[in-house]
Amino acid sequence: MKVAYVALLPSYSSGIFNKIEEKAKTCKQLNLPFDFFLINTVVEKKENNLILIKEKLSNFDFLNKVLLKLNLYELMEKHIPLDKYDFI
């Protein structure tokens, strides 16, 4: 069984980012089948089981937040190989 944890972070929040990063590290250390995907507007990187996806749909901050929320499932299909996971 493989699990994808997907979170949307329309604006950068170091507290939320650090919590998700901590969860990913713990799952990696315990050898649990979790991959963490964080859709955000600031950072793009891949580190073990933590994948940060940078997606900016508008130059206007408020509009970008709304568009990210409205298009969450489309963005998930675009960036995450959903067929590899049993639970999302």
Side-chain angles (χ1 to χ4, degrees):
M1 175 176 64
K2 194 146 170 95
V3 179
Y5 179 98
V6 180
L8 175 65
L9 190 60
S11 54
Y12 184 75
S13 171
S14 61
I16 294 172
F17 172 76
N18 291 338
K19 274 288 192 198
I20 294 173
E21 185 177 40
E22 186 179 299
K23 287 179 183 183
K25 285 180 182 177
T26 302
C27 286
K28 185 71 174 172
Q29 290 171 348
L30 296 174
N31 215 13
L32 296 175
F34 281 77
D35 286 337
F36 290 79
F37 295 90
L38 178 59
I39 300 173
N40 69 93
T41 59
V42 183
V43 182
E44 176 138 9
K45 79 176 190 181
K46 184 176 193 285
E47 185 177 298
N48 296 321
N49 62 335
L50 177 63
I51 298 99
L52 304 177
I53 301 164
K54 181 179 177 182
E55 187 71 57
K56 193 165 186 174
L57 302 175
S58 171
N59 290 327
F60 299 103
D61 190 47
F62 175 75
L63 183 58
N64 194 51
K65 289 177 185 179
V66 171
L67 289 173
L68 283 174
K69 290 179 183 178
L70 289 174
N71 294 304
L72 177 59
Y73 295 109
E74 183 180 315
L75 293 172
M76 287 171 57
E77 288 178 343
K78 178 180 174 185
H79 295 289
I80 302 169
L82 299 174
D83 57 329
K84 288 177 53 178
Y85 298 95
D86 299 309
F87 293 100
I88 299 168

